[in-house]
Amino acid sequence: MNNKMMPKLLITGFAVLLTTIAFSQHRTPWNVPEDIKTKSNPYTSDQSSIARGKNTYKLECVRCHGKLGKGNGTSADLLDTQVADLSSDKLQSQTDGELFWKISEGRKPMPLAKRTLTDDQRWDIINYIRTFKSK
Ligand code: HEC
C-alpha cells in the first residue's frame, strides 16, 4: 500500500464506523418513503371501521401500546425500547399513509404486521388509533 491510499482508507473506515453507530441506535429517524406518505385511507372513519380496528388492535397491539395507546401495555416494561405513544401529537400529526407503512413494516421490537394482518385490517386500525387523539 502506498502513502497516498492511507487517508482514503481512513476516511472510508471512519464513515463505515459512523454508519454502524447510527444504525445501532434505537431512536434513529424512522423514515417513510415519500410516495407512501400521501397514500390515503380507503376506509371512511365510520363506526364499523373503528369497531373492526378496535378488535384487531386489542388482539395485536394493546399488549405493547396499551388500551388508550399511551405506550403502557402489559408487555411494554419487558422491552428495552420505549413503546410509542399513539395519542401524542408526534404520532397524530403523521399521515395515514405514514402510519400504514410503519405498521406494515414494523421496527424491532415492534413486529411487522403486513404478514399477519390484511391491508383492510391495518387501515381500520388507523381509523381506530385516530380516536386516541382526544383521550
Ligand atoms: C412488541 C410490542 C409492540 C407491538 C405488539 C406493537 N408495537 Fe407498535 N411500536 C412498538 C415500539 C417499541 C415502537 C417504537 C419503535 C421505534 O421507534 O423504533 C412502536 C411504534 C409504533 C408506531 C410508530 C410510532 C412513531 O413514532 O411514528 C406505530 C404507528 C405503531 N407502533 C402502531 C402499532 C400497531 C397498530 C400495532 C398492532 C398492529 C403495534 N404497533 C404493535 C411496540 C409494539
Side-chain angles (χ1 to χ4, degrees):
M1 187 196 316
N2 63 39
N3 279 344
K4 275 191 180 157
M5 266 180 78
M6 271 307 276
K8 268 191 188 165
L9 272 178
L10 278 176
I11 291 168
T12 313
F14 195 59
V16 170
L17 183 73
L18 282 183
T19 316
T20 314
I21 292 171
F23 280 100
S24 66
Q25 305 288 313
H26 283 302
R27 314 265 85 215
T28 51
W30 195 347
N31 296 324
V32 176
E34 282 303 321
D35 53 328
I36 306 245
K37 286 187 186 172
T38 51
K39 216 172 169 178
S40 58
N41 194 331
Y43 292 94
T44 313
S45 172
D46 56 19
Q47 280 193 351
S48 54
S49 171
I50 291 173
R52 287 192 303 267
K54 183 175 182 176
N55 271 332
T56 320
Y57 181 88
K58 276 186 177 166
L59 292 172
E60 303 287 337
C61 323
V62 76
R63 68 188 169 95
C64 290
H65 288 282
K67 230 177 148 181
L68 298 177
K70 301 283 184 203
N72 57 356
T74 50
S75 300
D77 286 348
L78 310 171
L79 305 172
D80 295 336
T81 314
Q82 174 90 43
V83 177
D85 179 351
L86 303 181
S87 68
S88 66
D89 288 347
K90 177 180 169 275
L91 187 112
Q92 295 289 338
S93 62
Q94 298 181 47
T95 65
D96 283 2
E98 272 176 294
L99 299 179
F100 185 78
W101 191 85
K102 288 181 175 180
I103 294 167
S104 304
E105 302 297 326
R107 183 158 89 155
K108 239 179 160 183
M110 172 163 146
L112 79 178
K114 66 180 174 193
R115 297 215 188 90
T116 45
L117 301 177
T118 62
D119 283 21
D120 305 5
Q121 286 176 310
R122 281 174 274 144
W123 286 120
D124 284 332
I125 285 185
I126 292 168
N127 283 336
Y128 180 57
I129 285 175
R130 294 295 183 196
T131 68
F132 293 152
K133 190 175 181 176
S134 48
K135 290 176 187 160

